[in-house]
Each structure stands twice: as structure tokens, then as C-alpha cells.
Amino acid sequence: MNSYLFRIGSKTSGFLRSTQFVRSYSKHVKSESYKKALEDVETQVAESPCILYMKGIPERPECGFSNTAVRILQAEGAVFTSYNVLKNNDMREAVKEFGDWPTIPQLYVKGQFIGGADILMGLYKSGELSKLLNEAGVVKKDE
Amino acid sequence: MIRNLINGQLFKTSIETVKVRYFVVNNNNNNNNNNGGGEPIKNTIIEKLSNQFKPIHLDVVNESYMHSVPRGSETHFKVIIVSDIFNGKSVVAQHRLINDTLKNEMKNGVHALSIHCSTPDKWDESTISPSPGCMGGSKKEKQQKQQKDEK
């Protein structure tokens, strides 16, 4: 636990002075379940060819940005797994820390962080996303 | 700092105590912007981004009204920024620079930050897509209720 405390401290020492920061994050610093969540994210990202961390599920997104991300992936015909961060608050915070990215959704392809909703939209429009997904082999094959 | 406190107390009413305190905290590093305006966080964001990136174009839009938060909240923002500093950096790297600059705000109340950044030579305003609406919380329930009522 100490090592984790140190990590948070060294990374964001300036913010530790802010009581609001301490209040909102102390529960995660303390809890074993948060450390477990961080490990889970690491495993998921390493093992899933294409994983989207989002709010809600693809059939029923609970945030407009997550919805955008899902629709883009569906439009590309991507085969992806999704994780609903709303069902586990430790995971919700762990995902943000793992990717060093403050917002949800987040897309990982082959262990690489691709981006959030704005970046996906940009890549989709420029055609780079299609290329990226095809190269990674995570697109449904036409029958 | 002292002036901030005095101003804060002048604005202080019994109902708005919490709000005013927040306002005072936020203006500690933001003395130039002490206009007591309704959007202290937005002002901080503008100032931080201006200082850090010297943008040729900067637009910070408070889009909180589109989401399931109380009226007047400062939780959802869209940032449109064009700066030379982004030259030669990947989009992810550009976003990370902005996220880093606004880390404090993201930890303390700002919940969503939509970023559209560009370099001066690639800048084309027409490509900025509108932010999506809210799909969670009470707004969704309200919408569903409205649709039911209309039927």
C-alpha cells in the first residue's frame, strides 16, 4: 500500500495540498480493491485485441461521448469488447490512472491507447481509424 | 488574496456560502480575473491555456447545460484551441498536454473535457463536430417522460 501511496504522491505532489483532491482520492489510495482494479485494467488491456472502456453498454450507452465511440466502432465494423465503468467505481478511477487520461471513453487496440471520443471522431473522419483497426485485425470480415 | 477573501465575504449569502468558498479558492491563483463573474472555472481554463499555449485561436465553451447537472454548473467543457506548440506532436500527445495543464480543474469538479486542437496550418473550423448530448442520469429520464407524455 505504501508503494502505491508513494506513486500517487510523486506523480501529483502539487495537488496533495488540495483537500478536495485528498478527499476524492483517499479512498482509492487506501483500498486494496483499487489496486486490484488497476491490475485488472492492465490484464484486460493486454489480453483484449480491442477494448472500449465506456459508460453503459454498447446497446445502451449512458453518456453521449461513450455513445459516439460505440457508434464509430460499429460503423467501422470493429469487433470489440466493452467494459462498463459505471458498475465499478474502482475500475472507473483505475482506467483513468492507467491510461493517464482523465475522461471516459477510452479505446485500446492491441494494448495501445488510441484515444477518447474526440480523437476517435478525428481518426474516423480522416480514415486512419479504419486503417488502424484493419491492421490490427479487429474488423469483422465480410462474408 | 486578502482582496479575494473580502470580495468573497461581500458576495456571501447564507444560501451561497459553499459556492462563494469555492469561488475564493479558485481565484487564489487567478487574481487578474477577479470579476466575480458566474464562470470562475471557465476563466481559469482560459487563462491557463492562454499562458501555456499562446494560442492563435481559443474557444472555451461551457456545455454543462447539455448534461444532467444543476443549472449554472461548470462541469462539462469544450475547448477549441489552435497553437504552434502542437506542431509535430501526435493527437494523443496534444490532448495530454492540455489535460496536464488542466489537471487541477479535472480533479476538482470538471467532469468532461472535449478537446479539439489543431496546428495553425491544419486549422479548419468547419470540421469541429458538435458535442453529443447527455444520455445518462436524470436528463434521460426526463426525456423519456416527455416522450411518454407526448404520446
Side-chain angles (χ1 to χ4, degrees):
Chain A
M1 198 193 96
N2 280 339
S3 66
Y4 185 65
L5 237 166
F6 178 69
R7 264 178 77 192
I8 285 258
S10 60
K11 216 168 156 187
T12 52
S13 56
F15 301 126
L16 275 176
R17 267 175 246 134
S18 147
T19 50
Q20 273 151 323
F21 173 80
V22 173
R23 205 177 305 143
S24 61
Y25 276 75
S26 53
K27 58 175 187 259
H28 300 297
V29 174
K30 281 175 198 155
S31 78
E32 288 293 315
S33 60
Y34 180 62
K35 279 206 305 194
K36 169 84 170 49
L38 259 179
E39 282 165 20
D40 284 351
V41 176
E42 206 174 336
T43 320
Q44 285 173 358
V45 167
E47 288 176 357
S48 322
C50 184
I51 182 164
L52 179 73
Y53 290 95
M54 61 177 289
K55 292 179 179 172
I57 54 174
E59 295 74 28
R60 194 172 176 279
E62 289 184 48
C63 155
F65 297 97
S66 290
N67 183 51
T68 305
V70 167
R71 298 289 163 253
I72 289 174
L73 288 178
Q74 288 174 341
E76 295 282 7
V79 184
F80 64 99
T81 42
S82 69
Y83 185 91
N84 180 4
V85 299
L86 292 182
K87 68 181 188 190
N88 183 335
N89 205 42
D90 282 317
M91 284 297 279
R92 182 175 177 170
E93 297 306 324
V95 165
K96 294 180 190 174
E97 157 139 7
F98 177 81
D100 190 18
W101 198 261
T103 50
I104 310 284
Q106 297 182 16
L107 178 73
Y108 288 85
V109 175
K110 299 260 161 170
Q112 283 288 314
F113 176 65
I114 306 301
D118 296 326
I119 290 182
L120 287 185
M121 183 54 94
L123 293 174
Y124 173 65
K125 282 182 178 167
S126 70
E128 285 168 80
L129 187 65
S130 167
K131 208 176 133 201
L132 190 153
L133 293 171
N134 275 297
E135 275 170 12
V138 291
V139 178
K140 269 180 224 154
K141 300 239 164 62
D142 290 330
E143 280 160 26
Chain B
M1 170 82 190
I2 292 169
R3 189 177 293 163
N4 279 332
L5 281 172
I6 294 169
N7 278 351
Q9 266 164 2
L10 281 178
F11 284 117
K12 199 158 138 185
T13 65
S14 57
I15 305 165
E16 286 191 330
T17 311
V18 178
K19 242 188 193 170
V20 169
R21 260 186 215 153
Y22 196 51
F23 165 71
V24 171
V25 169
N26 259 291
N27 272 299
N28 276 347
N29 51 2
N30 192 8
N31 286 321
N32 303 333
N33 235 328
N34 194 5
N35 54 11
E39 297 185 303
I41 299 180
K42 180 177 168 179
N43 292 340
T44 314
I45 293 178
I46 292 175
E47 190 178 308
K48 283 193 174 174
L49 291 178
S50 306
N51 290 343
Q52 188 79 30
F53 296 103
K54 310 274 178 266
I56 62 160
H57 177 92
L58 174 66
D59 204 2
V60 177
V61 191
N62 183 356
E63 293 188 325
S64 307
Y65 69 91
M66 291 161 68
H67 297 271
S68 182
V69 288
R71 189 176 287 185
S73 294
E74 293 192 272
T75 51
H76 296 67
F77 285 95
K78 172 152 94 177
V79 169
I80 301 165
I81 182 166
V82 185
S83 165
D84 279 322
I85 295 177
F86 299 134
N87 271 330
K89 294 194 171 70
S90 74
V91 194
V92 172
Q94 295 174 8
H95 282 231
R96 281 198 207 282
L97 281 178
I98 295 168
N99 286 332
D100 271 354
T101 309
L102 300 179
K103 220 170 187 172
N104 216 353
E105 282 64 37
M106 295 300 290
K107 298 275 190 222
N108 294 308
V110 176
H111 164 83
L113 186 67
S114 174
I115 300 173
H116 300 269
C117 47
S118 179
T119 52
D121 36 319
K122 284 189 190 156
W123 168 233
D124 177 5
E125 196 156 5
S126 60
T127 60
I128 304 295
S129 44
S131 297
C134 186
M135 298 191 78
S138 56
K139 276 230 163 130
K140 190 167 192 175
E141 283 155 25
K142 255 185 225 163
Q143 271 174 4
Q144 283 169 345
K145 209 177 165 192
Q146 260 176 9
Q147 283 169 356
K148 254 186 204 169
D149 289 348
E150 278 164 20
K151 277 174 199 167

